[in-house]
Amino acid sequence: GKKKVFIIDGADDMNEQAQNALLKTLEEPPANSILILLSENIQTLLETIHSRCSRLRFNRLSVEHITGILIEQYGLDQEEALVLARVSEGSLEKAAGAKEYFQNRRERITKISKGLANLADDDQWVGLDREEAIDLLKFVSNWCRDVLLVQSGVNQQSMLINPDYSQQLSDFSGFYDTDRLLNIMGQIHKTMGL
């Protein structure tokens, strides 16, 4: 027969009271039903929830797969789709929602190419909410990553997040040594709680 599928997206956002209320349903689910709990951080779910569920891990989508979807279904051009796919961390949702990232990228690259100190002092940080600040920090971290790849002699465009700015990356690589870039990235990851 037919089955009803219930998807609870963001199950890890439920508080303890909500999770306890869900337990009764998990113990005695309605007939012909499937309950799917989506979670990015299963450690926040109660152990009693874990014990009543089967765990399935979904792998991240490849850059190529996301790029193709962004071109075919969202009508993006190749360059924009590729950049968004590379910064999406394997998530189509992040890639599709990151259009603003691409639009702000040129301005950010212009500022960052003048030096990280200029970027740190810039007023673009004023008024950012947490998510926007993390987005900007990820951008700087990705830029430093690309510079490290250029410094190491990796000249494969397919590995760079910003391959269309390879000249700026090369120019920038002369200003910061490897240790300093790694330190900057470490501070960024520490700030973001990674």
Side-chain angles (χ1 to χ4, degrees):
K2 292 186 175 188
K3 295 203 181 265
K4 292 182 180 178
V5 177
F6 300 91
I7 299 174
I8 301 174
D9 193 2
D12 47 352
D13 292 333
M14 291 189 298
N15 63 25
E16 188 173 342
Q17 184 179 0
Q19 290 184 50
N20 281 323
L22 179 63
L23 276 174
K24 178 75 172 155
T25 305
L26 291 175
E27 289 169 351
E28 299 174 24
N32 297 319
S33 65
I34 297 173
L35 286 92
I36 300 173
L37 281 64
L38 301 177
S39 172
E40 290 185 24
N41 184 5
I42 62 171
Q43 286 75 22
T44 61
L45 296 173
L46 298 172
E47 184 56 42
T48 49
I49 299 272
H50 286 264
S51 66
R52 288 164 178 78
C53 296
S54 298
R55 190 180 322 175
L56 297 173
R57 294 184 75 85
F58 294 98
N59 292 327
R60 295 173 184 212
L61 298 174
S62 71
V63 168
E64 294 77 19
H65 192 128
I66 292 174
T67 301
I69 292 172
L70 291 174
I71 292 169
E72 292 171 21
Q73 295 181 15
Y74 290 85
L76 300 182
D77 64 41
Q78 176 73 29
E79 177 190 358
E80 185 176 3
L82 185 58
V83 169
L84 295 179
R86 287 182 174 159
V87 299
S88 71
E89 300 171 347
S91 165
L92 179 59
E93 182 180 13
K94 283 183 181 178
K99 196 160 177 65
E100 190 174 307
Y101 178 95
F102 188 81
Q103 292 167 344
N104 294 334
R105 191 171 73 110
R106 188 170 312 283
E107 179 184 333
R108 288 178 177 173
I109 287 173
T110 300
K111 288 179 181 179
I112 203 171
S113 64
K114 296 175 184 171
L116 290 174
N118 294 336
L119 185 69
D121 293 336
D122 195 84
D123 63 354
Q124 68 180 323
W125 297 94
V126 176
L128 293 181
D129 64 26
R130 185 182 194 298
E131 195 170 311
E132 291 167 330
I134 287 175
D135 179 54
L136 187 53
L137 288 169
K138 283 182 180 178
F139 173 81
V140 175
S141 180
N142 288 337
W143 182 263
C144 291
R145 173 201 171 274
D146 280 358
V147 172
L148 285 168
L149 287 171
V150 169
Q151 285 179 344
S152 69
V154 175
N155 218 3
Q156 294 180 8
Q157 299 285 356
S158 64
M159 294 185 70
L160 298 175
I161 291 173
N162 299 288
D164 48 331
Y165 286 93
S166 57
Q167 184 58 53
Q168 290 88 335
L169 290 165
S170 181
D171 295 345
F172 193 85
S173 70
F175 296 113
Y176 293 91
D177 64 23
T178 302
D179 289 338
R180 187 155 182 218
L181 288 167
L182 289 173
N183 183 39
I184 291 166
M185 291 175 70
Q187 291 298 318
I188 288 171
H189 289 223
K190 184 178 175 183
T191 301
M192 292 190 312
L194 297 177

